[in-house]
Amino acid sequence: MKLAVITDSSAYLPQDLLHHDDLFILEIPIYIDGESYVEGKNLTHDEFYQKMAASKELPKTSQPSVAELEEVLSGLTAKGYTHAIGLFLSSGISGFYQNIQYLKDEFEGLTVEFPDSKITSAPLGMMVEDCLKWAGEGRLFDEIVANVQHQIDGTSAYIMVDDLNHLVKGGRLSNGAAILGNLLSIKPILHFNDEGVIEVFEKVRTEKKAMKRLVEIVVSDNADGHYQVFVIHANVPEKAEALRQLLIEEGVEGDIPFATFGGVIGTHLGDHSLAVGYIPIV
């Protein structure tokens, strides 16, 4: 078996993995003030947040290109690939997953699967990295797909947003609720629900209490299993480190790496967002 792993630019991936021979990454354009950008090509992480702050309108993102995915898949058999797995951002925040299902049976000699990750960012990146690792170990395709599904079923992320007004712009909160929330210093905690949709999980008074609540949730969710935990942030490294220390103090084991929210997800969450994501270790 020779496996191709395909993902999109919303996945947070280690730098040394970006040029892996068996990895293919679809671009997700970001539109700011009428200009099109692709993070990592003509837009850095810092530049995105600077441009978003200066823009009068919320940046927009489009889906990865179905045509680009079809082009990648059509060229795989000539390169010796027999199998392909596509792991893309959650169907709950993009219609891309639904739009590509017809491609699974279009390529003779190539076995294709598109599991719905129901997540993005660092957990999605770990799924991609693990698939490449498992293929390198010579594992069977069915085992790799089953392992990924086990990860998907046990993965989630909880997010603390900094600016309620940003949620209003994104259509996730009414203006009246944002005004009241700002007056009361409310910090909503969002999460990816079972369908992979980002929704409000709880509303907590003050940032300090919200950070403690994030830790409580993660410790409770991970009590019965072995998980990789990530702290993910948008331009708040000091708060990210404080959150990591809280997790360590509460007994979360193992290394807790940092990841950053890129422009695709930062568009929805806003600057200074902070999150904890976790995924089962298989």
Side-chain angles (χ1 to χ4, degrees), residues 22 27 29 69 114 128 172 213 250 260 277 280:
D22 300 326
E27 297 176 350
L69 175 59
F114 298 136
V128 169
R172 299 188 180 276
R213 183 65 181 126
E250 291 301 317
T260 54

Side-chain angles (χ1 to χ4, degrees), residues 120-131:
T120 185
S121 190
L124 176 58
M126 182 169 162
M127 292 176 194
V128 169
E129 186 173 8
D130 282 350
C131 283

